[in-house]
Amino acid sequence: MSTKILLSLICLWPLAALAEAGCELRGTGDLGVVVERASGSLEFIETTHDRLRGRVEGLGDLSHASVVYSRDGRYAYVFGRDGGLTQVDLLCRRVVKRVMQAGNSIGGAISQDGRLVAVSNYEPGGVRIFDARTLDPVAEIPAEYAPGRRSKTVGLVDAPGNRFVFSLWDAGEIWVADMGDPAHPRVRRFKGIGKQPYDGLITPDGRYYIAGLFGEDGMALLDLWNLDAGVRRILPHYGRGEQRLPVYKMPHLEGWAVAGRRAFVPAVGHHEVLVVDTDDWSLAGRIPVYGQPVFVMARPDGRQVWVNFAFPDNDTVQVIDTRDMRIVKTLKPGRAVLHMEFEPRGEAVWLSVRDRDLIQVYDTATLGLVKELPARKPSGIFLTDRAARTGL
Amino acid sequence: MRPCVRSGMAFAAILGFTLTVQAAGPSPERQRYLDDLLHEDCGACHGMTLKGGLGPALLPQRLRRYPRAFLRATILQGRPGTPMPPWRPFLSDADVDWILDRLLGVMKP
């Protein structure tokens, strides 16, 4: 073997090792995944050219599945309804590791330092915490609110200070878990926050945790900068004495559509988006919309809010201009629009249209359809810029 | 005699009609719609595989503990005090029978 060949082999070896079979050497900033709920698969997407990049299968029951990203944006952690936690590599487009960690789960979060992944479980009720690199179990927080009684946990988010915050559906409590010593979480309980918290969110700055209540009017707010002040009720008079419509799909509180000092939230049991003044958490207005909202998502610059709806109105999406709170567009993408995800700088938004087996991309300036891509019963869409955002 | 025959024929016709409707049930297209509804929309709370979510599991071994009339009323009227909504606006009696047969394992999916 000539010296030249030997030298070039030595030079090329690290590159070859990096680019393992099927893996790519590129950034992940324009990548993401779409959950295909019925077939237990993920579709990889790329937003620079609005295209599909292939699929990974065998992720189990992905109904209501959600995804968080490692801090480097390379790995997706997929939380399946069946209790499966799967780590997927976006560059190699394959499953790295998969564990069945519970019988019935609902969502998860990754810690501020990126080292811990937490999963919220219905059965057995509580939160389990894993090493983000190995998926080895690190700790368990059973949601035992009374002797022998465990609650389903919902609304699990990460919070600054390496904490996880979540709510107890059966108990009406919010728990804050400090992960300073990962193997021994220190939990602080807030009781009597209201009946049936069904979901929770954290404001983008990481300061406020808010739980939506199904069993009564209003929302529960916890100031994470001042835990001693406890939980207080906001929007207390909202809906009181009014006829509430039957709810065929619970709204989601993921993300917090904020524009200036206004936040936009889905009303429960009403065809309205609520506008909340974030200075004093009072109700600043109501915007009548087409149906009962499920997701209320702000374009990253806060100029627009996009809303999708519960059954039987889930064929429609409406766009609100936040300057004057008017609906500027009503779109009809097709039956079962399940999720909307903005590209990081907001120039486009991706929609999943389950019953048409389609992903659609809209230009948010013209509000026109720019691309349709095939997918199998698509639901959640998750782009990698979530890696750098608290609560997502 | 003639009125008696006539009413007998009418009765037979009605009976025959009812039996036909029951035997036929929802059309194949409607069945596909109901199947989607069951797994996707009921599944939003009860889990896509109906093993439970925020709402309880809808598996045969659990549901068989309840009278069919109670299950029918739950689907059509909802359960006040719980998040279960009434599905009457979207379902006919034949639809509910089809769904109950499916849920109770009378009919294989």
Side-chain angles (χ1 to χ4, degrees):
Chain A
M1 200 183 285
S2 79
T3 316
K4 202 173 169 186
I5 292 173
L6 194 68
L7 266 179
S8 62
L9 272 179
I10 289 168
C11 292
L12 285 174
W13 177 76
L15 254 184
L18 204 67
E20 301 159 61
C23 301
E24 290 176 272
L25 179 61
R26 75 184 318 279
T28 63
D30 60 347
L31 302 183
V33 296
V34 177
V35 172
E36 297 178 312
R37 57 194 290 181
S39 55
S41 51
L42 285 188
E43 188 76 62
F44 295 100
I45 56 174
E46 183 243 282
T47 60
T48 301
H49 306 93
D50 297 339
R51 65 184 176 199
L52 305 177
R53 301 177 65 246
R55 174 183 278 136
V56 63
E57 300 188 324
L59 279 78
D61 178 359
L62 292 184
S63 57
H64 218 295
S66 61
V67 171
V68 299
Y69 285 99
S70 60
R71 59 193 279 129
D72 60 8
R74 175 169 179 175
Y75 300 103
Y77 297 92
V78 185
F79 307 100
R81 169 53 74 71
D82 58 2
L85 166 61
T86 313
Q87 184 187 16
V88 175
D89 185 336
L90 266 65
L91 294 180
C92 303
R93 286 172 282 181
R94 66 177 176 225
V95 170
V96 179
K97 190 133 192 188
R98 175 170 163 79
V99 295
M100 292 301 293
Q101 56 84 40
N104 196 334
S105 313
I106 190 74
I110 188 161
S111 62
Q112 184 180 32
D113 66 6
R115 292 182 181 175
L116 303 169
V117 171
V119 192
S120 173
N121 291 320
Y122 286 164
E123 186 54 50
V127 170
R128 284 190 171 147
I129 292 151
F130 300 85
D131 184 301
R133 200 172 51 82
T134 62
L135 298 192
D136 289 336
V138 171
E140 180 173 7
I141 307 171
E144 190 174 351
Y145 60 97
R149 303 191 66 178
R150 286 173 78 155
S151 171
K152 294 168 183 170
T153 54
V154 298
L156 169 65
V157 300
D158 61 290
N162 239 33
R163 293 180 288 181
F164 290 117
V165 188
F166 53 94
S167 300
L168 280 64
W169 162 262
D170 304 286
E173 298 187 12
I174 294 174
W175 289 15
V176 179
D178 185 325
M179 302 306 298
D181 176 3
H184 304 95
R186 280 187 299 125
V187 175
R188 187 154 170 186
R189 290 173 67 169
F190 296 87
K191 299 184 187 178
I193 63 133
K195 282 182 201 149
Q196 293 173 319
Y198 64 88
D199 198 5
L201 65 87
I202 188 164
T203 50
D205 59 9
R207 176 167 181 180
Y208 296 101
Y209 179 82
I210 298 163
L213 301 175
F214 188 85
E216 55 189 285
D217 293 329
M219 301 177 108
L221 176 128
L222 180 61
D223 182 354
L224 298 172
W225 290 9
N226 185 12
L227 290 181
D228 291 338
V231 169
R232 70 185 166 104
R233 193 67 61 83
I234 58 171
L235 309 178
H237 301 294
Y238 167 68
R240 184 166 294 172
E242 294 177 30
Q243 185 64 43
R244 184 197 262 191
L245 301 168
V247 177
Y248 293 98
K249 169 109 183 79
M250 301 278 211
H252 279 254
L253 297 178
E254 175 211 274
W256 189 235
V258 178
R261 55 182 268 188
R262 296 196 191 103
F264 297 80
V265 293
V268 183
H270 296 272
H271 291 193
E272 290 174 346
V273 169
L274 306 183
V275 187
V276 182
D277 184 325
T278 55
D279 277 1
D280 60 3
W281 303 104
S282 63
L283 185 65
R286 305 161 172 215
I287 305 169
V289 288
Y290 183 77
Q292 293 186 33
V294 174
F295 281 102
V296 174
M297 311 285 271
R299 198 170 73 176
D301 65 350
R303 170 72 189 276
Q304 291 173 353
V305 167
W306 288 55
V307 188
N308 72 337
F309 302 101
F311 175 90
D313 299 320
N314 59 9
D315 61 340
T316 300
V317 168
Q318 288 188 311
V319 184
I320 297 167
D321 186 328
T322 58
R323 287 182 310 174
D324 54 9
M325 311 293 164
R326 275 180 208 285
I327 291 163
V328 291
K329 187 87 175 179
T330 298
L331 301 165
K332 294 279 181 187
R335 203 173 104 86
V337 178
L338 294 191
H339 200 209
M340 304 170 288
E341 178 87 336
F342 288 94
E343 292 189 14
R345 298 197 183 194
E347 73 281 13
V349 62
W350 290 55
L351 265 58
S352 52
V353 192
R354 185 195 65 206
D355 288 5
R356 293 183 66 203
D357 293 307
L358 273 183
I359 302 163
Q360 293 185 331
V361 185
Y362 288 85
D363 181 319
T364 62
T366 64
L367 304 179
L369 178 68
V370 290
K371 194 96 174 196
E372 286 193 324
L373 299 164
R376 300 175 193 154
K377 302 268 177 245
S379 59
I381 305 171
F382 303 90
L383 298 178
T384 53
D385 65 305
R386 289 169 173 259
R389 292 159 67 191
T390 297
L392 295 181
Chain B
M1 185 68 189
R2 269 181 92 180
C4 188
V5 170
R6 199 175 283 168
S7 66
M9 279 168 64
F11 177 71
I14 290 166
L15 187 71
F17 178 73
T18 311
L19 286 174
T20 311
V21 166
Q22 276 187 351
S27 68
E29 189 188 342
R30 183 70 180 168
Q31 289 183 23
R32 273 194 299 278
Y33 173 81
L34 292 175
D35 194 57
D36 273 358
L37 186 88
L38 187 58
H39 289 97
E40 305 289 351
D41 297 300
C42 304
C45 282
H46 297 281
M48 193 177 76
T49 51
L50 307 179
K51 288 180 194 158
L54 276 188
L58 301 182
L59 300 174
Q61 56 270 35
R62 184 173 165 275
L63 293 183
R64 281 187 197 132
R65 300 201 301 254
Y66 301 96
R68 194 174 169 103
F70 172 81
L71 297 174
R72 167 185 291 279
T74 300
I75 293 172
L76 287 175
Q77 295 158 34
R79 288 277 289 281
T82 79
M84 178 67 180
W87 291 84
R88 170 56 91 191
F90 313 104
L91 299 175
S92 69
D93 286 341
D95 290 342
V96 179
D97 272 320
W98 187 89
I99 287 173
L100 283 172
D101 283 350
R102 171 63 65 88
L103 287 175
L104 293 166
V106 176
M107 177 175 52
K108 289 285 168 219

